[in-house]
Amino acid sequence: MASSNPKVWFVTGASSGFGRAVTEVMLQRGDNVVATLRKPAMLDDLANVYSQNRLLVLPLDVTVPSDITTVFLKARETFGRIDVVFNNAGLCIIGEAEGMPDDDAKLLFDTLFWGAANVTKEAVTTFRDLNQPPGGRLLQMSSRGVLRVIPGVAHYAAAKAALESLSEGYAAELDPAWNIKITILQPARFRTAAPWTNVLVPVHPAYSDPNLPSRQYRSIYPGAELFSDGDIYKFAAQIHRLVQLEDPPFYLPLHRTALEAAKIKGQKLLQAVEDYGSWSDDVYLDEENCQGRA
């Protein structure tokens, strides 16, 4: 399908799952894609179908900041601009929060937070300083796990939550004249190959009871994908729909499980305000001690 005004997408983590689906769907709908991944050969089948003026496949490990700068430069040299960045690269390591090895926790944050943060920085620079006219859409891949942390993936959720906070900071600071729109995506239970690549660290000795929540979560592996009924290609179709909006949402939970988690978290916060709001009635400096203070 040809498009009279194709968008240029920059996708990280394009080898499989959400990244692969978004790459395929945008190409099918006439847009052009810069697909980045650690092993470019995993997209040889698509590269054999689409020419390089439609699909540019580039190697990228998002934990290497200089590589991020390099692939953004190559993307701009090829297509002249980047309209949408799908900030998606990731991994998951499963284990009790107390027992997560430091090296594994660091790898999660290096990829899910720092890697995504460096992609964000390059995206904003491209949208503001290099696109003519300026502007672009930044789609930050978060997770239902931020709305409701699943036992066994606390560090994964913490890294995603950090990315959400950083994205909120960007949204608060960006000049509206730059025409940069950010959306945090919070999907849940979409069927991908991730359960087959997720790493399970050894059980912390204190959590030997198989009835504990983290042990119950561990018990669904292998076979965790059977608990997921979301279609990643239908997800990608909704993402295409999203970038057509003039005023897109800042948060977009997708899947009934994510919607329910968002409602429950919102209700808990509102209930805390209702039940304990009066505790804030007398926590302020006396008037005579406020002189000269903002």
Side-chain angles (χ1 to χ4, degrees):
M1 178 189 298
S3 173
S4 59
N5 188 26
K7 288 182 169 59
V8 178
W9 290 69
F10 185 100
V11 178
T12 66
S15 60
S16 63
F18 293 106
R20 168 81 186 216
V22 166
T23 297
E24 289 187 34
V25 168
M26 302 317 151
L27 288 167
Q28 291 165 3
R29 299 199 176 198
D31 287 343
N32 302 323
V33 179
V34 180
T36 69
L37 63 169
R38 286 182 295 124
K39 299 177 180 179
M42 295 184 72
L43 292 185
D44 280 353
D45 59 322
L46 291 181
N48 289 332
V49 174
Y50 296 96
S51 62
Q52 283 199 0
N53 66 348
R54 293 288 320 284
L55 171 64
L56 179 64
V57 180
L58 296 174
L60 175 62
D61 179 347
V62 297
T63 66
V64 183
S66 60
D67 288 358
I68 297 173
T69 301
T70 297
V71 295
F72 266 88
L73 176 61
K74 289 181 179 178
R76 295 192 300 265
E77 288 174 346
T78 302
F79 292 110
R81 63 182 289 117
I82 298 171
D83 299 295
V84 186
V85 172
F86 182 48
N87 200 359
N88 165 74
L91 78 163
C92 185
I93 302 174
I94 297 167
E96 291 72 29
E98 187 179 356
M100 183 65 66
D102 288 350
D103 286 349
D104 289 324
K106 184 176 184 300
L107 177 59
L108 283 168
F109 273 81
D110 283 347
T111 304
L112 301 174
F113 177 69
W114 286 112
N118 287 320
V119 169
T120 297
K121 187 186 301 184
E122 289 288 343
V124 167
T125 298
T126 296
F127 294 155
R128 179 190 59 223
D129 299 338
L130 301 169
N131 282 356
Q132 294 298 327
R137 303 297 178 93
L138 176 57
L139 310 181
Q140 304 285 57
M141 194 62 160
S142 185
S143 169
R144 174 275 305 260
V146 174
L147 299 168
R148 175 175 177 261
V149 180
I150 305 301
V153 291
H155 282 83
Y156 173 90
K160 290 291 191 181
L163 177 62
E164 288 200 7
S165 292
L166 181 72
S167 301
E168 290 182 11
Y170 266 96
E173 294 174 1
L174 295 175
D175 187 334
W178 300 340
N179 194 30
I180 299 171
K181 308 290 179 64
I182 299 174
T183 298
I184 294 172
L185 306 170
Q186 298 167 317
R189 295 179 58 193
F190 281 84
R191 187 169 296 185
T192 70
W196 294 99
T197 58
N198 290 350
V199 176
L200 279 73
V201 302
V203 177
H204 186 284
Y207 298 81
S208 59
D209 182 350
N211 295 311
L212 290 173
S214 65
R215 296 299 305 278
Q216 291 290 304
Y217 183 70
R218 285 173 176 270
S219 71
I220 69 174
Y221 288 85
E225 72 281 356
L226 299 177
F227 293 85
S228 298
D229 61 357
D231 184 325
I232 55 175
Y233 290 93
K234 292 179 179 178
F235 168 93
Q238 297 290 44
I239 298 311
H240 183 270
R241 180 183 180 188
L242 171 68
V243 300
Q244 312 309 316
L245 298 178
E246 183 63 29
D247 187 21
F250 185 73
Y251 293 105
L252 185 61
L254 283 170
H255 192 284
R256 68 179 74 88
T257 304
L259 298 177
E260 184 64 19
K263 290 178 183 177
I264 291 172
K265 184 163 188 174
Q267 288 165 358
K268 286 181 176 179
L269 289 170
L270 290 173
Q271 193 63 52
V273 171
E274 182 69 24
D275 293 346
Y276 299 102
S278 62
W279 287 32
S280 293
D281 290 348
D282 189 23
V283 295
Y284 310 104
L285 290 170
D286 295 333
E287 187 173 346
E288 61 270 19
N289 293 326
C290 291
Q291 300 301 318
R293 295 175 182 263

